[in-house]
Amino acid sequence: MRVIVDLCVVPLGVGVSVSPYIAACQREIEAAGLEHSMHAYGTNIEGGWDEVMAVIKRCHEVVHELGAPRITTTLKLGTRTDREQHMQDKVSSVETLLAAQRQGEDLA
Amino acid sequence: MRVIVDLCVVPLGVGVSVSPYIAACQREIEAAGLEHSMHAYGTNIEGGWDEVMAVIKRCHEVVHELGAPRITTTLKLGTRTDREQHMQDKVSSVETLLAAQRQGEDLA
Amino acid sequence: MRVIVDLCVVPLGVGVSVSPYIAACQREIEAAGLEHSMHAYGTNIEGGWDEVMAVIKRCHEVVHELGAPRITTTLKLGTRTDREQHMQDKVSSVETLLAAQRQGEDLA
Amino acid sequence: MRVIVDLCVVPLGVGVSVSPYIAACQREIEAAGLEHSMHAYGTNIEGGWDEVMAVIKRCHEVVHELGAPRITTTLKLGTRTDREQHMQDKVSSVETLLAAQRQGEDLA
């Protein structure tokens, strides 16, 4: 079972600057060799369910090791059995629709 | 590493009535013997990281087996290393504060 | 447009004990007169879209006023046009299914 | 009060292909003139609290108007009073850290 997730790890008890903790997570995701893409409020990761979940556990472990006594994570998880879909497909299918509609408006 | 999660599984492509799918998840959580509590927008589950994650994977599997071609789940995950905390503690600590403040107002 | 939400407000930069901030949010929700129910990882609130959103804004304002320099909130929002549904209905429909299935198993 | 959000609108009861509904939301966000960036599991939006919340309400309205009888949305909301921060700043601060660490490893 493949999964596309959106991961947002929030360390508590370490002040307001959380980027060192997020950077540590990014290194774990990179080390796992999983396809990923960071945005302003999380990171998309794609892969097998177990591989993706293992890296999310590693994120919690390293953020605690770096000194965060408490973590709250928000995670979205998408699976589908009807067809294969990759992260970029999801963005492309919306962008294609938007482009087609803009072209339709220009021709009108 | 213990975790308290809030799980909200949403099957897509099966119409608007999702309760049979949610009930199937509840049975998996009960079968796993994990402490849990359902609310109007999800289910709190508490336990070891691996046990909780295994049951969330089982939820996706059974919801697909029941016919849902696509699932999107929203999950909150809380871990802490500073002290042990259970689900009921989190609610109690807020309720105790609220009760103390109400009593303070009554005395004022 | 009515909405059922699940609200989880997380203050950053104030240490690991967040219950005073959550209690302040609870008082805002109560003051607004909206139906609500707290669980271990958030609070369900039900009402008109604008009323519910106004109280969520008030939560951010009071949590900042109490000294939190940064807040990250996770919010689930459910709306439907096919029929009226209340918070308790969502829990009841799943519990009814589970009870019927247990009874079926007992009779088998 | 400025806010950076991550918006993920999920229409229910319309099958598994949700991109036409997401495209309709994107057009509302663009029409509002708010800075935004789509990723594989949502859209980041930045602006004043009331402006951003108004466009999220419009998203629910247009998705219902397009025929979806039920919607569940997952929203992350970030506010801060300590300093101004934009969407790109959040990504840049993590990428700068990662680049510095890689350079340190190369020099080692």
Side-chain angles (χ1 to χ4, degrees), chain B residues 6 27 41 76-77 101, chain C residues 6 27 40-41 76-77 101:
Chain B
D6 182 47
R27 284 193 301 273
Y41 222 136
K76 289 176 282 195
L77 299 128
Q101 287 162 337
Chain C
D6 182 46
R27 285 194 299 274
Y41 222 135
K76 288 175 283 192
L77 299 128
Q101 287 163 337

Side-chain angles (χ1 to χ4, degrees), chain A residues 17 41 63 65 73 75-76:
Chain A
S17 294
Y41 222 135
V63 170
E65 286 163 14
T73 285
L75 186 65
K76 289 176 281 193

Side-chain angles (χ1 to χ4, degrees), chain A residues 44-65:
Chain A
N44 298 158
I45 314 172
E46 176 180 339
W49 181 284
D50 293 337
E51 289 72 36
V52 172
M53 287 312 191
V55 87
I56 293 169
K57 186 182 181 185
R58 275 299 296 149
C59 286
H60 271 245
E61 288 171 342
V62 298
V63 170
H64 281 310
E65 286 163 14

